[in-house]
């Protein structure tokens, strides 16, 4: 993906199956090789989803813990 920063916005799309979109975003996030970018995108995606149970189920929490955004929220 050329612009990984836009990944988190995909979860805002109007769809009847938002968890499918979130799973696709999670796969793309996992393919990012730079860990800081990966963790920041995961955290920003989680902020937009706001459903803690879905976030725990789909996004890796270890990646999010490394995020500057996540740390700032804590």
């Amino acid at each position: 993906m050329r612009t990984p920063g836009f990944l988190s916005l995909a979860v805002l799309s109007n769809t009847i199956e938002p968890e499918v979109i979130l799973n696709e975003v999670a796969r793309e996030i996992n393919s990012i090789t730079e860990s800081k970018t990966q963790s920041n995108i995961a955290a920003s995606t989680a902020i937009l989803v706001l459903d803690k149970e879905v976030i725990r189920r789909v996004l890796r929490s270890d990646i999010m813990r490394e995020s500057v955004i996540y740390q700032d929220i804590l």
Side-chain angles (χ1 to χ4, degrees):
M1 166 156 271
R2 287 184 178 184
T3 52
F6 289 120
L7 277 172
S8 58
L9 298 176
V11 298
L12 297 176
S13 62
N14 188 13
T15 180
I16 57 172
E17 296 185 45
E19 197 165 333
V20 171
I21 300 297
L22 184 58
N23 277 306
E24 290 175 17
V25 169
R27 275 193 300 277
E28 289 291 327
I29 290 170
N30 287 332
S31 71
I32 297 170
T33 56
E34 210 283 310
S35 65
K36 189 170 198 148
T37 300
Q38 186 183 48
S39 64
N40 284 334
I41 293 172
S44 62
T45 301
I47 290 168
L48 295 174
V49 173
L50 295 177
D51 184 333
K52 290 180 186 177
E53 196 53 44
V54 172
I55 293 166
R56 285 187 190 112
R57 193 170 52 247
V58 177
L59 295 175
R60 291 176 29 206
S61 61
D62 62 318
I63 292 172
M64 291 194 323
R65 275 190 221 111
E66 297 174 21
S67 166
V68 173
I69 298 165
Y70 184 81
Q71 292 300 319
D72 190 47
I73 291 168
L74 290 179

